[in-house]
């Protein structure tokens, strides 16, 4: 079974530039998550999708961040414009919600460096 | 919202010794507690999890305990090996939302 796929793996941009990340979840997983992981810290949820619907985006900085999950499969996360503090690893995860419990499978992440 | 505290932040053990990582959570509605291992530059991977209706779970050299009354859960690694060196994250979930602890960097010295 293929795991969660993310691209690019690394991205270096100058501040104020836009950047986009792409995620393809495990086939059949209806729930997709975007996390941000700062150096030395645990992942922090940015947004959670159930199928096409964003059901939790309370931690997404909406002034500069946007996300979409058209057709309920793959997803993109965009930052425009990027700031120095956005440097982090952006992790995508997916799960198949069966009950109250579900294992989240993580992608390899995109390491963003904003100069 | 949920808040998960994890201790210690770093842990150095001699190969063969045991390692214990402790977490506390704040939301009594949390009912699923996974532990993830993250090696340098790699994705977090689930190593063990426990549901709220279970007090203890063991899988070979790793075990997790849960005290719902005290809102504590712990990871125990016995007979540590160099390949156990990594960052370990605890997490607590209410519904489908996971909140992670800050991580514990474990170093197993040969």
């Amino acid at each position: 079974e293929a795991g969660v796929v993310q691209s690019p793996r690394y991205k270096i941009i100058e501040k104020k530039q836009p950047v986009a990340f792409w995620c393809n979840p495990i086939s059949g997983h209806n729930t997709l998550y975007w996390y941000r992981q700062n150096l030395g810290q645990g992942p922090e949820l940015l947004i959670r999708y159930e199928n096409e619907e964003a059901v939790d985006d309370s931690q997404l900085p909406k002034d500069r961040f946007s996300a979409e999950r058209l057709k309920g499969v793959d997803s993109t996360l965009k930052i425009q414009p990027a700031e120095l503090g956005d440097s982090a690893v952006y992790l995508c995860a997916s799960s198949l919600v069966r009950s109250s419990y579900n294992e989240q499978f993580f992608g390899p992440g995109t390491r963003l460096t904003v100069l | 919202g949920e808040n998960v505290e994890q201790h210690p932040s770093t842990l150095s053990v001699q190969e063969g010794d045991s390692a214990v990582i402790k977490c506390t959570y704040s939301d009594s509605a949390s009912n699923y507690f996974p532990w993830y291992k993250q090696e340098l530059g790699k994705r977090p991977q689930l190593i063990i999890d426990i549901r709220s209706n279970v007090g203890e779970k063991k899988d070979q050299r790793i075990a997790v305990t849960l005290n719902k009354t005290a809102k504590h859960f712990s990871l125990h690694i016995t007979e540590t090996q160099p390949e156990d060196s990594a960052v370990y994250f605890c997490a607590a979930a209410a519904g489908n939302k996971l909140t992670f602890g800050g991580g514990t960097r474990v170093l197993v010295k040969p």
Side-chain angles (χ1 to χ4, degrees), chain A residues 28-107:
Chain A
H29 281 194
N30 58 345
T31 305
L32 183 146
Y33 313 76
W34 281 103
Y35 290 89
R36 176 168 58 191
Q37 186 175 26
N38 292 313
L39 189 64
Q41 298 181 22
E44 296 177 318
L45 181 69
L46 292 173
I47 189 167
R48 172 167 63 95
Y49 283 93
E50 288 184 9
N51 300 306
E52 308 84 22
E53 183 181 1
V55 295
D56 184 354
D57 62 356
S58 57
Q59 301 302 311
L60 189 72
K62 297 181 184 63
D63 57 337
R64 298 183 300 106
F65 286 64
S66 64
E68 61 182 11
R69 190 185 185 199
L70 301 176
K71 301 180 182 178
V73 181
D74 56 352
S75 175
T76 56
L77 177 68
K78 298 178 181 178
I79 308 175
Q80 183 171 12
E83 297 179 351
L84 294 177
D86 296 331
S87 294
V89 174
Y90 290 83
L91 291 164
C92 178
S94 71
S95 67
L96 175 61
V97 176
R98 291 184 290 257
S99 65
S100 303
Y101 316 123
N102 64 92
E103 177 183 351
Q104 295 186 23
F105 294 83
F106 283 85

Side-chain angles (χ1 to χ4, degrees), chain B residues 14-31:
Chain B
Q14 205 67 37
E15 182 178 359
D17 288 349
S18 295
V20 180
I21 303 170
K22 298 182 178 182
C23 290
T24 61
Y25 63 99
S26 61
D27 189 350
S28 56
S30 290
N31 55 10

Side-chain angles (χ1 to χ4, degrees), chain B:
Chain B
E2 175 66 278
N3 182 48
V4 179
E5 299 284 340
Q6 184 171 346
H7 299 280
S9 56
T10 59
L11 180 59
S12 182
V13 297
Q14 205 67 37
E15 182 178 359
D17 288 349
S18 295
V20 180
I21 303 170
K22 298 182 178 182
C23 290
T24 61
Y25 63 99
S26 61
D27 189 350
S28 56
S30 290
N31 55 10
Y32 172 60
F33 306 91
W35 287 85
Y36 284 83
K37 175 182 180 182
Q38 188 174 30
E39 297 178 8
L40 188 62
K42 297 190 176 181
R43 71 188 76 192
Q45 291 196 302
L46 181 76
I47 55 171
I48 195 168
D49 56 18
I50 191 167
R51 282 42 165 150
S52 60
N53 58 347
V54 176
E56 184 173 357
K57 183 177 178 180
K58 188 174 181 180
D59 183 3
Q60 299 182 335
R61 294 187 299 107
I62 59 174
V64 60
T65 59
L66 171 65
N67 183 331
K68 283 216 73 178
T69 303
K71 297 197 185 92
H72 290 173
F73 57 115
S74 301
L75 178 72
H76 304 252
I77 307 173
T78 59
E79 301 173 24
T80 53
Q81 300 169 4
E83 53 264 38
D84 295 329
S85 296
V87 178
Y88 292 80
F89 293 98
C90 64
N96 296 320
K97 182 171 182 176
L98 271 182
T99 301
F100 286 83
T104 297
R105 182 174 299 279
V106 174
L107 175 63
V108 180
K109 297 179 288 185

